[in-house]
């Protein structure tokens, strides 16, 4: 079997319904349309809008030679997890002080929901 047809027997998966709303939005000519499908800010031209605070944070990260660009551990950045837990429950909460929580960092909201769903089963 050649490399060109290694996946030829596979059927195309159906389109993602959430991304389908983005396509429908883009194809809709109504001037009153509102994109409710994807949680991202966009300009009137339809391109992602990046807040100045985000640009400043990116600049600081890029200019800081002490920032570690290595892969994170499987459960994420320990300081991020600790601070997120303290923000959510309160640093003095028994849930936090008695170490009764498990916190991990995930990629994207969908990734977080997937991890949560799989951990409940």
């Amino acid at each position: 079997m050649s490399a060109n047809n290694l996946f030829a027997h596979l059927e195309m998966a159906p389109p993602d319904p959430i991304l389908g709303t983005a396509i429908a939005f883009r194809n809709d000519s109504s001037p009153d349309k509102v994109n409710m499908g994807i949680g991202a800010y966009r300009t009137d031209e339809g391109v992602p809008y990046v807040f100045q605070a985000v640009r400043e944070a990116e600049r600081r990260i890029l200019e800081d030679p002490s920032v570690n660009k290595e892969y994170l551990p499987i459960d994420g950045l320990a300081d991020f997890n600790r601070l997120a837990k303290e923000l959510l429950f309160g640093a003095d909460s028994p849930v936090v002080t008695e170490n009764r929580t498990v916190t991990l960092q995930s990629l994207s909201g969908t990734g977080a929901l997937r991890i949560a769903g799989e951990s409940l089963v």
Side-chain angles (χ1 to χ4, degrees):
M1 181 177 279
S2 74
N4 290 338
N5 65 9
L6 180 63
F7 302 105
H9 67 284
L10 298 177
E11 291 183 33
M12 178 68 79
D16 182 292
I18 296 295
L19 296 179
T21 62
I23 294 168
F25 174 82
R26 187 175 57 236
N27 293 336
D28 187 343
S29 61
S30 171
D32 300 322
K33 65 185 178 180
V34 176
N35 188 347
M36 302 294 285
I38 299 174
Y41 291 97
R42 303 225 176 245
T43 67
D44 290 339
E45 292 76 33
V47 296
Y49 178 80
V50 181
F51 288 97
Q52 188 58 40
V54 172
R55 291 187 191 279
E56 175 64 17
E58 290 173 332
R59 184 192 63 74
R60 288 182 187 184
I61 290 169
L62 289 173
E63 292 177 358
D64 185 349
S66 70
V67 172
N68 182 344
K69 311 272 189 318
E70 187 58 67
Y71 283 105
L72 293 176
I74 193 74
D75 58 349
L77 187 64
D79 284 342
F80 176 86
N81 291 339
R82 178 183 54 78
L83 292 169
K85 184 181 346 185
E86 290 175 3
L87 178 65
L88 183 63
F89 298 108
D92 297 328
S93 167
V95 181
V96 174
T97 60
E98 296 170 12
N99 201 25
R100 292 189 282 147
T101 64
V102 174
T103 308
L104 58 93
Q105 186 177 359
S106 72
L107 180 64
S108 81
T110 305
L113 292 173
R114 168 88 186 241
I115 292 168
E118 288 187 12
S119 67
L120 295 174
V121 176

